[in-house]
Amino acid sequence: MATSKVIENPESHFSAVLVGAAKLPGVRINRDAYLRKALARYCSEDDIRRAIEETPAAAGIPLEVLDKAANDSIGYETTKASALSAAAGIPGFIALPATVPADVAQYFGHMLRIAQKLAYLYGWPDLFSGDSDDLDDATKGVLTLFFGVMFGTQSANAAVGKVAGMMSKQVAKKLPQKALTQGVIYPIVKKVAGYLGVQMTKQTFAKTVSKAIPVVGAVVSGGLTLATYLPMAKRLKKHLSSLELTKPTHQVVDGEVVQVHEPSATEHAEQHDADVTAIELENPHSS
């Protein structure tokens, strides 16, 4: 009885799918290899090396270049996700019990792939640097917030901005564990996870209906993935590209932080507004 309650809980449902998708082959992106490949056509070897060692912003790579690399990755991942979704729709009604779970898993897997790629371009640290296959709580938390941004929740936007601000001030090369697992961000993570669990159930139902008719189901399913995945990826790109981590406002010299920019009164006010906004989950908005 207790097990069924856990399964029916939207927050637990989403977390279970997130953890499962992160374990799929090919989902985890090697940060160093990705940045080298994504920036190769736009940047010098010295800039790429520094982007890997620090961040693309710290390497002085213009935001316009990062946006181009991001668009390249979004196009690639959208095409791949849509093709796989269409292929999963071909068998029709008889194969539904097998294809729907697989399709949902690969869809979330591709959301994880693009979330990592965009994060690395826009200054976030390696999200899967450990050897363990398990997600640590901080990584799970920030990925949940990324998914919340993709689904259009304002509180996720504010929470991601808050985390980025913490990292920018500390010149950190890892996620702020305490804030994401115990501090003010954690309640937002839980609320966003619950919201996403509900949305995931609705999306799964839509995919189930689209696959009921062979061949036609393949076209509808692939189109549904294209119609949802592309705008969600663009929404995350737009938000991450606007955060402090994309601005080279600080540098590290011999292990010491050298501040190049002090927040203005306006920025302090904006941060306060973000803190207030992050108090509760709001309804999704269109981008």
Side-chain angles (χ1 to χ4, degrees):
M1 189 71 177
T3 303
S4 90
K5 286 184 179 179
V6 170
I7 293 175
E8 293 170 1
N9 181 280
E11 178 190 336
S12 299
H13 189 195
F14 170 77
S15 295
V17 173
L18 177 65
V19 170
K23 293 181 179 179
L24 292 175
V27 166
R28 300 192 181 195
I29 304 297
N30 182 292
R31 177 182 177 276
D32 294 2
Y34 168 69
L35 286 177
R36 181 168 295 282
K37 183 176 180 179
L39 299 174
R41 61 186 293 191
Y42 302 112
C43 305
S44 68
E45 177 59 31
D46 286 343
D47 285 344
I48 293 173
R49 177 182 51 76
R50 189 177 175 194
I52 292 172
E53 291 177 353
E54 300 179 47
T55 68
I61 298 174
L63 187 58
E64 293 79 8
V65 171
L66 298 180
D67 287 342
K68 289 179 181 178
N71 288 334
D72 291 342
S73 292
I74 289 174
Y76 174 81
E77 294 295 338
T78 300
T79 300
K80 192 172 180 181
S82 299
L84 289 175
S85 181
I90 291 176
F93 186 80
I94 296 177
L96 278 179
T99 60
V100 172
D103 190 27
V104 172
Q106 70 85 16
Y107 184 85
F108 272 71
H110 277 284
M111 287 181 68
L112 278 175
R113 282 178 58 87
I114 195 59
Q116 292 170 80
K117 289 183 175 183
L118 294 176
Y120 298 153
L121 283 172
Y122 294 120
W124 292 73
D126 197 337
L127 300 177
F128 293 103
S129 56
D131 295 330
S132 174
D133 288 338
D134 296 328
L135 285 180
D136 64 59
D137 290 339
T139 298
K140 188 189 302 183
V142 81
L143 288 173
T144 297
L145 294 177
F146 284 171
F147 273 46
V149 172
M150 294 172 89
F151 274 85
T153 61
Q154 284 283 24
S155 61
N157 283 2
V160 169
K162 178 71 172 179
V163 174
M166 293 177 182
M167 295 178 61
S168 179
K169 290 176 183 178
Q170 299 170 5
V171 199
K173 291 190 176 181
K174 63 180 182 178
L175 298 172
Q177 298 274 336
K178 187 173 181 180
L180 285 163
T181 59
Q182 302 174 29
V184 294
I185 305 297
Y186 182 62
I188 310 303
V189 173
K190 290 177 67 66
K191 288 182 180 180
V192 170
Y195 169 76
L196 292 174
V198 173
Q199 295 304 307
M200 185 176 63
T201 300
K202 293 178 180 178
Q203 189 178 72
T204 301
F205 176 76
K207 285 179 174 291
T208 301
V209 172
S210 76
K211 288 181 170 61
I213 304 175
V215 182
V216 174
V219 175
V220 173
S221 180
L224 181 63
T225 296
L226 178 63
T228 56
Y229 186 93
L230 182 59
M232 286 196 293
K234 287 184 175 180
R235 188 177 290 130
L236 181 61
K237 168 185 173 285
K238 180 179 180 180
H239 187 57
L240 293 183
S241 67
S242 70
L243 301 177
E244 284 299 309
L245 289 176
T246 65
K247 302 174 178 63
T249 57
H250 55 256
Q251 58 184 340
V252 178
V253 179
D254 295 331
E256 296 183 359
V257 179
V258 178
Q259 296 293 338
V260 179
H261 167 77
E262 289 295 331
S264 65
T266 300
E267 288 171 319
H268 279 301
E270 289 175 348
Q271 184 62 65
H272 173 72
D273 291 343
D275 292 345
V276 173
T277 305
I279 295 300
E280 63 178 296
L281 183 66
E282 298 180 3
N283 292 328
H285 70 285
S286 59
S287 59

